[in-house]
């Protein structure tokens, strides 16, 4: 029987697991002095230049830079930010944007169509390896037509292009401050977002103050936000309890979440669960002697007990996943459960026997030691236990820091490895297209004529994303049969805050990037 751990029910995309303590009426503070918020996270930026980043740096970018489109609170699809945009032809290959009037960067320089073109052209021209250029695969050229008109000419129909424009990777930058052919260095940011980066210490702290020149959709509920970066979950949670920070964003480990669930009210804290589309996969290298055997991959799929991992390792703070596309998006299915069912050692043994594999399979399994949370090692130790308990596998676990790990799997050095995926944008395409094709984010070609030439192009021509769900389901049936990509679990995002902070449940956009301007301090009368 297919079993899924129930998610906590939540209101307005989150559940607040504490009550306001004390007595009297609680109101929103209007004092400027009160409206200073400190946020803690374990996700520090790797760079301050958007042309170089395809990672957690976006969390800072959303607040200091501006994009043409974005996600106001309550929006699930891109809406106007710096511009109003739309496709202007039925072929979905011409996308036109009209900028707001009077836009400027924080230093007073004009933000016009030439600045927009410059921002996109430099991403393509600089072409940082593993950088945001990969998001612009469908872009042919950018045309600046007058002061406020920007036209994007696409190589092929691409209904997901508005979602790409709404990613912080497409942040608009000042041509005078950001070179056309090189990355900007130093600790300065010149953007047009809701805040100005007034101070920055790499790996330690970012201080954001209200940008007086900002014109956009953000209704700022505070005047200043300090983001503090922590090395681990324990120090992050301790800083919250010691009132050194007001809110946590990313970085709470399962153990800390469980502790907060038990003690939130007692400690005058609130724990908020945000809907998350972050997922984890197990990936097989078809060039490896054993991982290249379909029977081996299918046997692994028949043995892994996701529910055990969810419960024993993650304390029910993640959900088992049987779909390449996570819950909450069109195209989510139970395709991998339909293909492999509940964990079944006898079925796995039969699969291997039928392929003439009778001795235990020696398989090397890699994971990164510093990327996806402190539970990662325990999760893969549990997978090793499950596979070896069948008597049909001998698993060697290996790990390395992210930079070494990423370089290794892109070179095809690992037989099997675990990888997390945090979406660039909330669309099912972003959970399929990056993993297939001759060139993909895994560095391992995955050619499928039916997917590459038929199914995916058809989904990318469909403006109604829900209408593409049938094609995404068929894609997953193909992927499940081959079993080279094996979805494991879907994360939940937990944020904790002192009880006097409001707006936490509204702060996450659909890409799980925090809109710092939604945070506000309460006061009691």
């Amino acid at each position: 029987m297919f079993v899924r751990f129930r998610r906590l029910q939540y209101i307005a995309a989150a559940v607040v697991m504490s009550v306001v303590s004390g007595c009297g009426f609680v109101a929103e503070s209007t004092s400027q002095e009160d409206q200073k918020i400190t946020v803690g996270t374990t996700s520090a930026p790797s760079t301050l230049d958007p042309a170089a980043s395809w990672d957690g740096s976006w969390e800072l970018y959303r607040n200091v830079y501006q994009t043409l489109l974005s996600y106001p609170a309550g929006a699930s699809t891109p809406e106007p930010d710096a511009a109003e945009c739309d496709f202007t032809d039925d072929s979905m290959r011409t996308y036109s944007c009209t900028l707001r009037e009077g836009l400027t960067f924080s230093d007073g320089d004009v933000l016009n169509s030439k600045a927009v073109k410059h921002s996109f052209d430099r991403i393509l021209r600089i072409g940082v390896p593993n950088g945001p250029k990969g998001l612009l695969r469908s872009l042919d050229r950018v045309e600046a037509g007058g002061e406020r008109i920007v036209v994007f000419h696409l190589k092929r129909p691409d209904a997901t292009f508005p979602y790409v424009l709404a990613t912080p990777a497409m942040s608009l930058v000042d041509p005078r401050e950001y070179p056309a052919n090189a990355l900007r260095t130093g600790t300065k940011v010149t953007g047009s977002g809701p805040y100005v980066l007034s101070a920055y210490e790499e790996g330690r702290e970012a201080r954001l103050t209200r940008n007086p020149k900002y014109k956009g959709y953000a209704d700022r509920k505070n005047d200043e936000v300090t983001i503090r970066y922590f090395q681990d979950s324990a120090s992050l949670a301790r800083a919250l309890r010691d009132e050194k920070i007001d809110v946590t964003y990313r970085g709470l480990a399962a153990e800390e979440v469980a502790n907060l669930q038990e003690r939130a009210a007692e400690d005058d804290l609130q724990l908020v669960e945000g809907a998350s589309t972050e997922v984890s996969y197990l990936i097989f290298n078809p060039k490896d002697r054993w991982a290249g055997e379909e029977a081996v991959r299918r046997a692994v799929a028949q043995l892994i007990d996701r529910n055990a991992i969810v419960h024993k390792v993650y304390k029910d703070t993640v959900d088992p996943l049987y779909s390449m596309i996570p819950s909450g998006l069109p195209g989510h299915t139970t395709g991998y459960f339909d293909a492999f069912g509940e964990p079944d050692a006898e079925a796995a043994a039969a699969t291997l026997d039928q392929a003439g594999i009778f001795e235990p399979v020696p398989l090397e399994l890699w994971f990164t030691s510093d990327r996806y949370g402190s539970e990662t090692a325990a999760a893969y130790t549990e997978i090793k236990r499950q596979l070896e308990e069948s008597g049909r596998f001998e698993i060697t676990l290996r790990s390395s820091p992210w930079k070494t790990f990423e370089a290794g799997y892109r070179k095809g050095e690992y037989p099997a490895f675990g990888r997390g995926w945090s979406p660039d944008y909330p669309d099912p395409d972003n959970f399929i297209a990056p993993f297939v094709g001759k060139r993909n984010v895994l560095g391992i070609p995955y050619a499928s004529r039916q997917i590459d030439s038929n199914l995916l192009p058809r989904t990318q021509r469909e403006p109604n994303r829900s209408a593409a769900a049938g094609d995404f389901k068929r894609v997953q049936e193909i992927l499940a049969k081959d079993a080279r990509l094996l979805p494991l679990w879907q994360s939940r995002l937990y944020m904790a805050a002192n009880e006097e902070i409001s707006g936490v449940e509204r702060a996450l956009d659909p890409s799980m990037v925090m809109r710092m301007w939604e945070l506000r301090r309460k006061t009691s009368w």
Side-chain angles (χ1 to χ4, degrees):
M1 178 179 175
F2 174 55
V3 178
R4 177 180 294 277
F5 284 93
R6 287 184 58 198
R7 284 177 174 267
L8 297 173
Q9 296 300 311
Y10 54 89
I11 299 174
V15 60
V16 180
M17 301 181 65
S18 70
V19 294
V20 177
S21 62
C23 61
F25 178 72
V26 179
E28 304 295 346
S29 171
T30 57
S31 165
Q32 186 178 36
E33 184 63 29
D34 285 343
Q35 291 311 313
K36 295 181 179 180
I37 309 291
T38 303
V39 176
T41 178
T42 59
S43 180
S46 63
T47 173
L48 298 181
D49 190 331
S53 172
W54 197 351
D55 59 21
S57 304
W58 290 9
E59 294 153 13
L60 178 62
Y61 296 175
R62 177 65 81 204
N63 295 279
V64 296
Y65 292 107
Q66 193 173 19
T67 46
L68 294 171
L69 302 174
S70 195
Y71 300 96
S76 59
T77 56
E79 295 187 9
D81 187 353
E84 291 189 0
C85 306
D86 207 351
F87 284 102
T88 60
D89 64 338
D90 293 337
S91 70
M92 302 188 72
R93 293 180 59 180
T94 305
Y95 197 72
S96 180
C97 296
T98 303
L99 294 169
R100 291 178 184 264
E101 292 186 14
L103 287 176
T104 65
F105 292 101
S106 57
D107 61 359
D109 286 351
V110 174
L111 198 175
N112 56 18
S113 61
K114 291 182 180 179
V116 176
K117 176 175 169 56
H118 171 84
S119 300
F120 284 84
D121 285 350
R122 69 188 296 269
I123 291 173
L124 297 173
R125 187 178 297 115
I126 296 172
V128 173
N130 307 324
K133 180 179 179 180
L135 288 171
L136 296 174
R137 289 182 293 269
S138 67
L139 179 61
D140 182 21
R141 60 188 175 89
V142 184
E143 176 186 355
E147 281 293 299
R148 295 173 52 216
I149 305 297
V150 183
V151 181
F152 297 90
H153 299 277
L154 308 182
K155 301 172 185 175
R156 54 176 172 77
D158 186 2
T160 70
F161 193 69
Y163 291 88
V164 172
L165 294 187
T167 67
M170 304 301 134
S171 295
L172 306 177
V173 298
D174 187 343
R176 290 207 310 152
E177 302 291 342
Y178 293 79
N181 300 303
L183 297 175
R184 182 181 186 178
T185 58
T187 60
K188 302 294 184 183
V189 162
T190 309
S192 58
Y195 298 97
V196 174
L197 182 64
S198 56
Y200 182 73
E201 187 176 356
E202 185 175 358
R204 293 181 62 86
E205 187 173 285
R207 181 168 170 249
L208 314 183
T209 53
R210 185 183 283 248
N211 178 7
K213 295 182 172 63
Y214 171 68
K215 291 185 177 181
Y217 74 90
D219 179 14
R220 292 164 291 188
K221 306 294 196 306
N222 58 63
D223 299 290
E224 181 178 312
V225 177
T226 297
I227 307 173
R228 292 185 57 196
Y229 301 110
F230 293 84
Q231 294 298 312
D232 55 69
S233 174
S235 58
L236 174 65
R238 186 164 54 249
L240 179 69
R241 292 191 179 95
D242 293 344
E243 299 184 358
K244 293 180 180 178
I245 60 175
D246 300 304
V247 185
T248 69
Y249 175 37
R250 292 186 186 273
L252 287 177
E255 194 69 36
E256 296 296 344
V257 171
N259 290 338
L260 284 165
Q261 286 173 334
E262 292 179 2
R263 297 176 50 86
E266 181 180 342
D267 292 342
D268 293 331
L269 298 174
Q270 52 182 313
L271 182 64
V272 175
E273 180 194 344
S276 171
T277 51
E278 291 186 348
V279 293
S280 291
Y281 304 106
L282 185 59
I283 295 146
F284 297 94
N285 185 347
K287 294 183 179 179
D288 178 74
R289 163 67 182 89
W290 292 109
E293 293 279 353
E294 183 178 322
V296 169
R297 302 193 299 266
R298 293 180 65 84
V300 171
Q302 290 168 318
L303 287 170
I304 287 183
D305 186 343
R306 293 167 177 81
N307 285 327
I309 298 168
V310 165
H311 186 62
K312 292 170 60 175
V313 177
Y314 288 98
K315 315 298 183 187
D316 301 332
T317 61
V318 302
D319 292 295
L321 184 64
Y322 299 88
S323 170
M324 288 294 294
I325 298 169
S327 174
L329 293 180
H332 172 74
T333 71
T334 57
Y336 282 77
F337 182 84
D338 299 339
F340 302 109
E342 295 282 6
D344 188 336
E346 290 185 3
T351 297
L352 293 171
D353 289 346
Q354 289 169 12
I357 302 172
F358 301 105
E359 297 298 321
V361 175
L363 190 62
E364 198 172 85
L365 176 56
W366 283 76
F367 63 91
T368 180
S369 58
D370 61 352
R371 181 79 168 186
Y372 303 123
S374 58
E375 302 89 356
T376 304
Y380 283 93
T381 299
E382 172 63 14
I383 290 175
K384 168 184 167 72
R385 185 197 66 77
Q386 292 176 6
L387 297 180
E388 290 187 336
E389 190 175 58
S390 71
R392 304 304 298 263
F393 285 89
E394 293 178 352
I395 304 298
T396 301
L397 282 185
R398 300 195 186 281
S399 66
S400 60
W402 171 252
K403 288 186 178 180
T404 304
F405 176 78
E406 183 184 33
Y409 75 65
R410 287 184 182 277
K411 293 177 183 177
E413 295 176 353
Y414 307 152
F417 58 96
R419 193 195 194 288
W421 182 250
S422 182
D424 304 310
Y425 47 87
D427 185 89
D429 177 84
N430 198 230
F431 294 88
I432 300 293
F435 298 97
V436 298
K438 294 181 179 179
R439 300 179 63 183
N440 60 48
V441 297
L442 304 174
I444 303 172
Y446 196 146
S448 166
R449 183 181 298 275
Q450 190 172 3
I451 294 175
D452 297 341
S453 301
N454 183 19
L455 294 170
L456 266 187
R458 199 158 65 200
T459 68
Q460 291 163 348
R461 291 193 296 269
E462 178 53 68
N464 180 352
R465 304 310 290 153
S466 295
D471 284 333
F472 282 120
K473 179 180 179 180
R474 177 60 186 139
V475 167
Q476 292 185 85
E477 289 172 353
I478 296 170
L479 296 177
K481 182 179 183 301
D482 188 47
R484 279 178 51 183
L485 303 169
L486 192 62
L488 296 174
W489 57 84
Q490 178 174 347
S491 299
R492 304 178 194 173
L493 181 58
Y494 290 91
M495 299 168 291
N498 293 325
E499 55 86 18
E500 71 268 20
I501 301 298
S502 68
V504 181
E505 69 279 1
R506 291 171 52 88
L508 287 182
D509 76 9
S511 299
M512 297 172 297
V513 174
M514 184 175 271
R515 299 174 282 221
M516 299 294 180
W517 58 85
E518 293 287 354
L519 301 175
R520 186 166 189 161
R521 193 178 300 278
K522 308 169 187 174
T523 185
S524 297
W525 295 354

